[in-house]
Amino acid sequence: MTKTANVEPATLSLAVSNDPVENTAYITDFSNDDPAELRSIYRMMLLTRRFEERTGEMYTKAKIGGYCHLNLGEEATVVGLMSALKPEDYIFTNYREHGYILARGVEPGRIMAELFGKDTGVSRGRGGSMHLFDIERHFMGGYAIVGGQIPLATGVAFALRYHEQPGVVICQMGDGTTNIGAWHESLNMAKLYKLPIIFYVVNNGYGMGLKVENGSAEPELYRKGCAFRMHGERVNGKDPIAVRNAVQRLRLMAQDDGEPAILEAVSYRFRGHSVVDPARYRDEEEVRRGREDDPVLRFAQNLLDAGILTDEIMKTMAEAIEQEVAAAIDFANSSPDPQIEDLFTYMYASPVANMPGPEDALEAARIARGEF
Amino acid sequence: MPVITYRQALNETLRQEMHRDPNVMLMGEEIGVFEGSYKVTAGLLQEFGAKRVLDTPIAEEGFVGMAAGAAMIGLRPVVEIMTINFSLLAIDQMVNHAAKIHYMFGGQAKVPMVLRTPGGGGVQLAATHSQNFEVWYAYVPGLKVVAPSTPHDARGLLRSAIRDDDPVVFLENLALYNTKGDVPDEADDGDYTIPIGKATIARAGSDLTLIAYSRMAVLAMDIARRLEAEEGLSIEVIDLRSLRPLDRPTIIESVKKTGRAVVIEEGWLTYGIGAEIAATIQEHAFDYLDAPVKRVAGVEVPLPYAKVLERAALPNDKHLIKAIREALYGTRS
Ligand SMILES: Cc1ncc(C[n+]2csc(CCOP(=O)(O)OP(=O)(O)O)c2C)c(N)n1
Ligand SMILES: [Mg+2]
């Protein structure tokens, strides 16, 4: 299945589309694309936009706790990637992952229910915003320890290769994450063992407040695979089609030739690092320019210009999405909390002697009710 | 009953489990060509090939995480870390990931991996190479931690660990690899396992309960035998075998019977396994105690290289006999 790629080190191109000009260019020729697919990409971007806006609202209403990070501004980066994946592929992400799991086809209600900490949530209320998971759709988790997902994703790619199964693994992360040790160790092994994996780096300009160039000695992140002779590319993360095309190409390289790659998608975070961050460290002019180039609006305009969308279709879509997100919130609101009696459920997959069990959970429930 | 070494027990069990289940594979530094720092994996590369006996780069965090990830979709990696000291580089993957994945994602993915690693000092490896960190892992809900002291238990627990669907830390000890013991005949019960989460009463007695695990359980058995022969004492020895889950009922029952307890561990005293066991006893068997629980542990210092200093810092027969006497006859001033 995974052939050893016969690529001479010298021909391993590092810079396929790192030209800054190309980085701002948008694909507007849709003649080879299926209009229905383009519309569904737009629809998913709009759903992500609306889902995240409402999520921010729900956070301020204290329906959602903990940390909460949004994909606002990154919709093309998210949906472009996801639209290139096959059902057999696996995806690991960081904690900024609501859009990715939405685009993987998981019901918005179950995602919102997880943010609300409900038993009907995708992780049964045990994970929250940063730890979304859906095994059936191979959505292998949001991870909130920076870089924690990288060795794990490499491991799934290892197992795919071990069993000679088709498919690739996408390991999504932020720009800041390319500075952590696990990144370097995992890239080395991915290349060494010829694993079918794409390291998908969302360069949104910042870690939390730290600019890319102040955290990485090599600010052109797609070049960071050179120590491992790993192929790297940079793509305009505001253009879903550019992203999708790049992923489709690298996917085949990873799957058929065992050539892992780095794909850096340049994007912009519209709001603070998390919903509670006012982001005062960014200068106004930069934020204005960043927001002006809105990936959702621009893609809509490009599709309108090409006659693939009409004002009528857009209006109907927007209304349907509004209702879909409202229904997700209703579902989350009306869902039951997890039972305290299930406090220890899922802690171990294989029961063994002396592990905490139902009786300990009943005791915890009694104490929680003040019965002691 | 055949007599084999602890190392042989591990080696044979790995081989048998790899034959039994094609998803069982090994990874770690120098486990293939070099056959393992302590030769536990000797011969397995030749027998199973490089696909199933994977020599990894020196990247503990990377390959431990890779094992955990591979386990999420059904592989059953048995990872060797040369010594437990180096496992600190992988602790994020064990503690923040392997231990959390099943619970935090609502039971959707299992992590059936084993992390084998030896701890212990006493061979002049000095401060960075002689430590006991099993308590760091035993502290973490979501992990299982086992620490066999005999070839018999090493085999039975390694089988259980490999067949278990949760991440298991399997503690070995540098000083145990060459120790010998009986294991059941292949024909008799060649496929026995030892349950995780259960201690064993390695030796029954009535005067005092001595609690230990791993190499200290071997020392405990020696001293119990010696004090019976020399002083007619009847000491019950509990070999914990599992550190998480901890078999509290076995400890409590025994102390209720004997009224006295000594616990010995090779690691440092403060916040250690002994502290947990002493607390367990005072919570559940306080009224049965005839003397305070005694703890024996390593002296709290980075372990020095010089033989004379190293010997003074590690718990040995003298420390143990002194503690047993104090538990039986009170502290002499
Ligand atoms: C190991 C670790 N260190 C620090 C943090 C705190 N932290 C959370 S997100 C973050 C910034 C990550 O930036 P980036 O990788 O660019 O992702 P982005 O948030 O921009 O998507 C930091 C430092 C953490 N969660 N984990
Ligand atoms: Mg970032």
Side-chain angles (χ1 to χ4, degrees):
Chain A
M1 173 80 249
T2 37
K3 291 172 280 173
T4 300
N6 243 342
V7 187
E8 281 300 305
T11 67
L12 268 183
S13 52
L14 273 175
V16 169
S17 55
N18 63 322
D19 181 349
V21 174
E22 181 163 345
N23 195 35
T24 54
Y26 286 78
I27 294 172
T28 49
D29 174 7
F30 301 118
S31 49
N32 291 324
D33 276 295
D34 170 11
E37 191 199 331
L38 295 171
R39 282 192 288 270
S40 91
I41 288 174
Y42 171 71
R43 189 184 193 286
M44 192 50 75
M45 287 171 66
L46 196 61
L47 176 64
T48 302
R49 171 66 54 94
R50 205 55 199 125
F51 186 93
E52 293 295 62
E53 287 169 348
R54 300 289 323 263
T55 294
E57 271 172 59
M58 292 302 119
Y59 194 90
T60 50
K61 288 188 177 165
K63 291 283 184 187
I64 299 171
Y67 294 150
C68 185
H69 313 79
L70 306 177
N71 288 125
L72 293 172
E74 299 177 5
E75 293 86 352
T77 312
V78 173
V79 179
L81 165 72
M82 299 308 289
S83 65
L85 302 192
K86 303 266 186 238
E88 60 268 31
D89 296 340
Y90 288 84
I91 172 152
F92 285 74
T93 68
N94 67 3
Y95 43 83
R96 195 185 297 286
E97 87 280 41
H98 306 165
Y100 295 91
I101 192 167
L102 269 175
R104 194 60 172 165
V106 175
E107 305 87 317
R110 292 181 56 227
I111 302 169
M112 193 60 85
E114 187 61 33
L115 309 192
F116 281 37
K118 297 303 182 90
D119 210 35
T120 53
V122 286
S123 302
R124 297 179 179 141
R126 270 66 171 179
S129 161
M130 305 193 288
H131 305 116
L132 306 175
F133 199 97
D134 187 278
I135 191 67
E136 264 159 41
R137 290 178 184 78
H138 293 187
F139 191 89
M140 302 303 280
Y143 293 82
I145 299 291
V146 163
Q149 74 273 33
I150 314 177
L152 295 169
T154 306
V156 168
F158 181 85
L160 282 181
R161 211 198 67 146
Y162 186 92
H163 286 125
E164 301 192 355
Q165 275 170 239
V168 304
V169 179
I170 300 294
C171 180
Q172 179 271 8
M173 74 199 83
D175 50 274
T177 304
T178 65
N179 300 314
I180 210 160
W183 154 269
H184 300 278
E185 295 190 3
S186 302
L187 260 67
N188 185 46
M189 289 191 298
K191 179 71 192 205
L192 202 56
Y193 303 137
K194 305 225 152 277
L195 303 184
I197 183 166
I198 299 171
F199 298 97
Y200 188 67
V201 179
V202 179
N203 182 348
N204 60 9
Y206 293 86
M208 292 168 70
L210 191 73
K211 283 196 164 151
V212 173
E213 60 273 26
N214 293 337
S216 183
E218 171 52 275
E220 292 179 351
L221 304 177
Y222 67 94
R223 292 178 180 275
K224 291 179 88 164
C226 69
F228 315 107
R229 300 188 167 191
M230 190 182 290
H231 177 83
E233 294 185 21
R234 177 180 266 187
V235 68
N236 176 7
K238 287 198 168 183
D239 182 348
I241 304 307
V243 171
R244 184 203 61 184
N245 293 349
V247 175
Q248 280 173 342
R249 205 162 19 77
L250 297 182
R251 206 194 152 275
L252 289 179
M253 253 173 68
Q255 176 180 264
D256 300 345
D257 308 331
E259 271 300 330
I262 299 170
L263 181 61
E264 176 188 4
V266 180
S267 197
Y268 194 71
R269 201 185 70 201
F270 276 14
R271 296 199 189 164
H273 169 71
S274 73
V275 289
V276 298
D277 169 25
R280 296 211 181 84
Y281 42 82
R282 301 198 293 194
D283 76 57
E284 280 172 28
E285 175 54 20
E286 179 203 293
V287 176
R288 197 191 55 73
R289 265 189 290 112
R291 288 212 188 133
E292 203 172 61
D293 187 13
D294 182 320
V296 180
L297 299 183
R298 184 195 276 266
F299 190 51
Q301 192 57 54
N302 289 346
L303 294 185
L304 281 169
D305 293 347
I308 291 164
L309 275 181
T310 62
D311 288 333
E312 187 59 24
I313 298 176
M314 278 178 66
K315 189 160 163 283
T316 324
M317 236 184 222
E319 282 165 9
I321 282 170
E322 192 64 41
Q323 278 172 20
E324 195 176 346
V325 178
I329 293 170
D330 287 347
F331 175 79
N333 258 325
S334 60
S335 286
D337 287 330
Q339 302 273 314
I340 300 179
E341 285 76 3
D342 281 329
L343 187 59
F344 298 104
T345 311
Y346 312 128
M347 193 158 80
Y348 291 110
S350 297
V352 292
N354 292 306
M355 67 184 220
E359 279 182 17
D360 303 273
L362 284 176
E363 167 84 354
R366 275 194 297 273
I367 295 170
R369 289 194 298 264
E371 292 167 14
F372 50 86
Chain B
M1 286 238 234
V3 174
I4 61 172
T5 65
Y6 192 97
R7 172 186 293 107
Q8 277 174 308
L10 296 173
N11 180 271
E12 285 176 10
T13 308
L14 290 173
R15 174 180 293 112
Q16 289 165 353
E17 290 299 299
M18 289 176 78
H19 278 300
R20 189 186 57 78
D21 182 351
N23 282 318
V24 175
M25 55 86 59
L26 314 181
M27 55 172 96
E29 291 160 18
E30 307 289 0
I31 63 165
V33 182
F34 195 79
E35 303 195 312
S37 292
Y38 297 98
K39 307 299 170 202
V40 172
T41 51
L44 299 180
L45 174 65
Q46 288 93 311
E47 191 166 342
F48 295 99
K51 179 179 169 187
R52 297 184 68 194
V53 181
L54 184 76
D55 271 321
T56 65
I58 308 161
E60 282 81 3
E61 182 181 12
F63 68 76
V64 168
M66 185 166 89
M72 288 173 82
I73 63 164
L75 223 54
R76 307 186 83 85
V78 181
V79 181
E80 175 175 305
I81 296 236
M82 282 186 179
T83 78
I84 199 165
N85 306 281
F86 317 143
S87 81
L88 301 196
L89 285 101
I91 205 158
D92 173 62
Q93 282 300 321
M94 288 305 291
V95 172
N96 281 328
H97 297 91
K100 304 296 190 284
I101 282 167
H102 190 259
Y103 188 86
M104 191 170 72
F105 298 135
Q108 295 180 81
K110 300 167 182 169
V111 186
M113 68 178 285
V114 179
L115 191 150
R116 292 181 35 242
T117 189
V123 284
Q124 285 194 283
L125 290 171
T128 62
H129 278 55
S130 309
Q131 303 173 96
N132 303 280
F133 287 120
E134 56 275 15
V135 66
W136 290 26
Y137 297 100
Y139 180 63
V140 180
L143 293 180
K144 292 171 178 166
V145 181
V146 298
S149 69
T150 63
H152 176 273
D153 290 359
R155 167 172 286 179
L157 276 170
L158 186 54
R159 282 202 185 114
S160 295
I162 291 173
R163 298 175 191 183
D164 194 281
D165 277 340
D166 295 305
V168 181
V169 175
F170 186 95
L171 181 76
E172 301 167 7
N173 188 291
L174 300 185
L176 287 179
Y177 285 131
N178 288 330
T179 58
K180 290 186 175 160
D182 297 335
V183 292
D185 225 315
E186 289 293 309
D188 269 2
D189 190 7
D191 197 42
Y192 73 99
T193 56
I194 290 183
I196 295 175
K198 292 288 280 180
T200 182
I201 299 190
R203 190 174 193 282
S206 54
D207 294 334
L208 175 144
T209 302
L210 179 50
I211 302 145
Y213 65 92
S214 191
R215 182 168 83 84
M216 291 295 115
V218 176
L219 178 67
M221 289 294 281
D222 284 349
I223 298 302
R225 276 189 219 105
R226 206 205 293 175
L227 293 182
E228 174 164 67
E230 292 172 1
E231 305 179 19
L233 291 174
S234 168
I235 295 178
E236 179 147 305
V237 176
I238 295 182
D239 184 345
L240 291 174
R241 297 200 298 205
S242 285
L243 302 178
R244 180 175 280 269
L246 180 62
D247 184 356
R248 288 193 167 88
T250 297
I251 299 167
I252 295 160
E253 277 318 299
S254 172
V255 176
K256 282 183 176 171
K257 183 178 73 174
T258 63
R260 297 170 202 274
V262 172
V263 43
I264 179 166
E265 68 195 297
E266 196 173 332
W268 295 305
L269 183 86
T270 307
Y271 309 117
I273 304 269
E276 180 56 40
I277 286 167
T280 296
I281 294 170
Q282 90 64 43
E283 277 172 352
H284 299 282
F286 184 76
D287 292 335
Y288 297 80
L289 282 176
D290 296 322
V293 178
K294 281 277 157 195
R295 287 185 290 160
V296 181
V299 173
E300 303 205 29
V301 66
L303 202 69
Y305 167 75
K307 198 74 212 160
V308 57
L309 295 179
E310 184 188 51
R311 222 178 270 143
L314 288 173
N316 60 28
D317 53 347
K318 296 191 189 67
H319 300 106
L320 185 52
I321 290 170
K322 175 173 178 288
I324 291 170
R325 295 237 160 89
E326 286 172 358
L328 286 168
Y329 314 121
T331 313
R332 271 171 262 169
S333 47

